[in-house]
Amino acid sequence: MEALLVVDIQNDFLPGGALAVDDGDAVIAVANALQPHFERVIATQDWHPADHGSFAANHTGKQPGELIELDGLSQILWPVHCVQGTPGSRLAADLETDGIEKIFYKGTDPRVDSYSAFADNAHRRKTGLGDYLQEQGIDSLYMLGLATDYCVLFSVLDACQAGLRTHVVVDGCRGVELQPGDSERALRQMQQAGAQLVDSREILGTATRSRASA
Ligand code: VGL
Ligand code: ZN
């Protein structure tokens, strides 16, 4: 079975948000258009406690963008974002959510960040997504959302690692781009790991044709 995984389309990653991704709101229409074409739609939310170790504000004298070591792992410091239950942590208001079957929350452990939808950055604790996909017989995953160069990238790499047929809907993703070119490099890395890069129009077009011929 095929599923669509909608990654972190949350207010704090949209223009005006705490960790705004340029043009981030452009992914909402793509996510909404694709949902009816999938048997299963699931989503993730970045879901941090206020004392999360990835927040620069929780480290005296540190600024967003600086690198620290957090519990043995290299960690980029971010502005305070997606704090559990705050308006910034909510899914975008314009995102269709009625069809979302299940939401997986990540980044809940204050001592380790979690870019991947499958597990934390140390791969110590799983989110439950991998087991869910297996239980449901989902072997093909289409991913889109925010941000290309962090949560989409690491989720896609883990999906490839798990042996799933993994697709990235490129026009449904936007990147943080701390360094110009990060999103392009991330896409190349995903492709090298075995992910297929697709455009939403291919999915919409194919689905229309198969329905017409049915
Ligand atoms: C993300 C940075 C920090 C993301 C989450 O969703 O890509 N990026 N937390
Ligand atoms: Zn985060």
Side-chain angles (χ1 to χ4, degrees):
M1 198 193 331
E2 294 185 333
L4 178 67
L5 176 59
V6 176
V7 178
D8 295 3
I9 306 189
Q10 293 165 267
N11 292 329
D12 271 340
F13 297 124
L14 302 180
L19 209 174
V21 174
D22 251 5
D23 203 29
D25 47 350
V27 308
I28 299 170
V30 180
N32 289 347
L34 285 185
Q35 288 191 45
H37 292 263
F38 286 85
E39 291 171 84
R40 216 37 89 76
V41 181
I42 50 187
T44 61
Q45 281 181 247
D46 209 27
W47 197 246
H48 298 306
D51 65 348
H52 199 262
S54 75
F55 298 164
N58 291 330
H59 303 274
T60 312
K62 296 289 182 190
Q63 299 300 317
E66 288 187 52
L67 269 180
I68 62 158
E69 197 176 292
L70 184 63
D71 216 30
L73 288 186
S74 175
Q75 173 69 49
I76 302 172
L77 292 177
W78 301 106
V80 175
H81 66 279
C82 297
V83 174
Q84 297 170 5
T86 60
S89 72
R90 285 189 206 132
L91 292 174
D94 293 337
L95 181 69
E96 283 294 345
T97 53
D98 289 352
I100 297 177
E101 170 107 2
K102 198 165 164 62
I103 297 178
F104 292 89
Y105 296 90
K106 60 188 186 56
T108 55
D109 182 341
R111 293 158 310 165
V112 63
D113 213 351
S114 185
Y115 296 142
S116 167
F118 289 84
D120 63 59
N121 291 0
H123 282 92
R124 279 194 290 252
R125 196 147 45 141
K126 295 178 181 176
T127 59
L129 173 61
D131 290 340
Y132 171 84
L133 296 176
Q134 206 159 24
E135 280 160 23
Q136 300 290 317
I138 295 164
D139 54 4
S140 177
L141 211 49
Y142 286 74
M143 297 196 224
L144 54 71
L146 306 171
T148 316
D149 37 2
Y150 291 95
C151 290
V152 173
L153 168 63
F154 288 96
S155 300
V156 165
L157 295 180
D158 277 353
C160 290
Q161 190 72 45
L164 296 158
R165 276 185 289 140
T166 308
H167 311 76
V168 188
V169 184
V170 177
D171 56 317
C173 300
R174 292 293 185 280
V176 177
E177 298 265 312
L178 279 185
Q179 305 291 333
D182 279 353
S183 294
E184 265 311 308
R185 279 187 289 275
L187 288 170
R188 270 203 301 275
Q189 205 180 331
M190 294 184 242
Q191 207 170 21
Q192 271 158 17
Q196 203 181 330
L197 307 189
V198 301
D199 186 280
S200 64
R201 284 168 301 186
E202 296 173 44
I203 301 165
L204 299 169
T206 308
T208 307
R209 264 201 309 283
S210 64
R211 205 189 302 165
S213 64

